[in-house]
Amino acid sequence: MSARTTTPWPLVALFTAGYLAPYLLPTTVGRLSAGLPLSATEAGSIGSALLLSSATAGFLLASRVDRFGPRGLARAGLLLAAAGYGTAALTTTIPLVVLGAIVGGLGSGTITTVAATGIAGQRDPHRTTTLGLLGVSALAGALYLTIPHLGPGHGHPLAAIAVTALLVLPVTRRLPTAGTPEAPHTPAARTLRATPAPLPHRRAGLVLAAAMLCWSLAQNSLWGVSGRIGLQQAGLTEVTVGAVFAVALGAGLLGVIGAGALGPRLGRALPIGAGTALIAGCIALSAAATDLTSFATGEIAWNTVYPVVLSYVIGLAASLDRRGRWAVLVGSASSLGTACGPLAGSLLSARVGYPGMGVILALGLLLITAPMTAVALRTRRTAPLPQEHPVVEIPVVEIPVVEIPVVEIPVVEIPLDAVPAPRTAYDTAGPRQATAGAAAGPGSASR
């Protein structure tokens, strides 16, 4: 009988708070450019600095979550995010905005690291990742519908991230501290983290991390300039663009629900390989959009497939090391690609235009499809999916030793006063005794 699986809601909440900044990147960069005396490239550079700071935190903390404790690190990350993004939202001084974005990025990276490490220790990391993607997609979609109605200004998306961090802060009470065991539903994580071990699957992990860097770079190069494509090339209003983004993220919710229902039935290679090829086509279509129909079609199709592939990639990274180190390192490589995305998208679109940028990004995605699929195929043969063979930890129960007192039993001497038996009573058995008995006759027996 399988053990009951509980939902790690604190990890889902941390995942949502940590990934909200990248999900709001288009409106954040667009509002920085419109609300402050910044060019589009300068606003994209601030967005890149934010995400680069987030990736740096992930690289630095990848193997230190257990040492500092998930609860303490999560609280520190949430407070950094609230302070950094809050400062950037409340000021119009450019250096303070940049500093606040960097500090907030450090907080987001810390939050994401704690969430990724905890998710990797779950019996079913894909399910937990799916719930996290559902949370962040739903929240970002609601914010894309709300922010355009709050008036102009660069601070609204940044303030939304800061408020989310403060709202998630109370759930950290359910996280373990340094030196305490994990939650009861993660026995495998407790057992494996008890002793130090080298990083497994180094070649596969490095290939996946490098591919994920390029994968995220391509995604966020378009995502960082999607708002400008809708406003400038497709000729839409900010309200219409926000509505398209909200619908696209809603379609992403359906995609994530479908991925959660499908689970590991198709493995990881097919969703990652075929999904990345589909994303390449969606990026080319969205970048070439000139009206509402083509823009909405490209964005909605892209955002439907993107979180599905991302959930399987995160699950693949988690399967490489149940301690969560590869999950954090691959996630940090993804954040590094995400950080370079807005700047790369701005530079490419300035050089070759939006359609040319889409073609370049699509070709790059097709090139990295092969190594990502190869890693998924290789690990399928060497490492089972986490939920296929859960590790059950049998607790060792100490049985107390009961001392039984030794009682001295007195020896009682019994005197033998019996009359000695005659010698004939001990004669030997044989035919002679049988013949004598027969000669006596039946009538000689006593009653």
Side-chain angles (χ1 to χ4, degrees):
M1 182 174 61
S2 60
R4 182 172 60 91
T5 302
T6 58
T7 302
W9 292 114
L11 297 178
V12 174
L14 290 175
F15 187 99
T16 302
Y19 274 92
L20 185 59
Y23 266 71
L24 292 182
L25 190 64
T27 186
T28 301
V29 172
R31 292 228 164 192
L32 286 174
S33 177
L36 297 175
L38 296 170
S39 65
T41 302
E42 291 171 342
S45 299
I46 295 178
S48 295
L50 184 158
L51 298 173
L52 181 61
S53 177
S54 177
T56 302
F59 283 120
L60 293 176
L61 299 173
S63 59
R64 294 177 172 86
V65 175
D66 291 331
R67 183 186 307 175
F68 297 116
R71 183 187 300 176
L73 272 184
R75 287 178 175 175
L78 291 169
L79 291 175
L80 282 175
Y85 294 128
T87 300
L90 295 175
T91 184
T92 56
T93 305
I94 303 299
L96 287 179
V97 172
V98 174
L99 179 61
I102 293 174
V103 173
L106 284 173
S108 293
T110 303
I111 301 166
T112 310
T113 300
V114 176
T117 303
I119 289 172
Q122 300 296 308
R123 287 198 180 99
D124 191 353
H126 183 263
R127 174 177 175 271
T128 309
T129 302
T130 299
L131 292 174
L133 288 171
L134 284 173
V136 70
S137 298
L139 180 58
L143 290 174
Y144 273 117
L145 289 175
T146 304
I147 289 176
H149 299 285
L150 298 179
H154 74 285
H156 295 106
L158 295 168
I161 305 172
V163 171
T164 302
L166 292 177
L167 292 176
V168 173
L169 191 60
V171 307
T172 57
R173 290 178 296 182
R174 298 175 58 185
L175 296 174
T177 57
T180 59
E182 296 282 342
H185 56 273
T186 59
R190 295 201 310 270
T191 304
L192 289 173
R193 291 174 187 171
T195 57
L199 196 62
H201 302 291
R202 288 181 178 270
R203 182 180 301 176
L206 289 174
V207 170
L208 184 61
M212 196 60 184
L213 188 152
C214 300
W215 190 86
S216 296
L217 174 64
Q219 311 287 333
N220 288 277
S221 293
L222 177 64
W223 189 236
V225 298
S226 288
R228 279 181 275 159
I229 292 175
L231 294 173
Q232 299 172 6
Q233 183 170 278
L236 307 176
T237 64
E238 185 184 8
V239 174
T240 304
V241 171
V244 170
F245 287 159
V247 174
L249 291 173
L253 290 176
L254 298 179
V256 172
I257 292 173
L262 185 63
R265 291 180 180 86
L266 297 178
R268 298 190 183 99
L270 181 61
I272 291 175
T276 301
L278 286 174
I279 289 173
C282 294
I283 286 179
L285 175 62
S286 182
T290 56
D291 55 16
L292 175 60
T293 302
S294 56
F295 180 73
T297 301
E299 291 291 328
I300 292 172
W302 172 36
N303 281 277
T304 302
V305 182
Y306 165 80
V308 176
V309 180
L310 180 61
S311 68
Y312 280 98
V313 173
I314 294 176
L316 175 59
S319 71
L320 297 178
D321 177 29
R322 294 299 300 274
R323 298 170 186 264
R325 290 170 293 181
W326 274 125
V328 175
L329 291 173
V330 171
S332 299
S334 174
S335 298
L336 186 60
T338 303
C340 300
L343 183 58
S346 298
L347 293 176
L348 283 175
S349 60
R351 293 288 182 89
V352 298
Y354 295 122
M357 176 199 69
V359 172
I360 294 174
L361 296 178
L363 291 176
L365 279 177
L366 292 176
L367 287 177
I368 65 171
T369 300
M372 295 179 72
T373 306
V375 171
L377 289 172
R378 181 177 183 274
T379 54
R380 183 185 64 180
R381 293 190 293 266
T382 58
L385 292 174
Q387 60 269 36
E388 290 179 350
H389 303 288
V391 180
V392 179
E393 183 182 14
I394 302 176
V396 179
V397 180
E398 295 183 0
I399 302 177
V401 179
V402 181
E403 295 184 359
I404 302 176
V406 179
V407 181
E408 295 185 0
I409 302 176
V411 179
V412 180
E413 295 183 359
I414 303 175
L416 299 177
D417 298 332
V419 179
R423 175 67 182 87
T424 56
Y426 297 98
D427 205 350
T428 59
R432 182 170 59 85
Q433 285 77 11
T435 304
S444 60
S446 61
R447 300 285 178 184

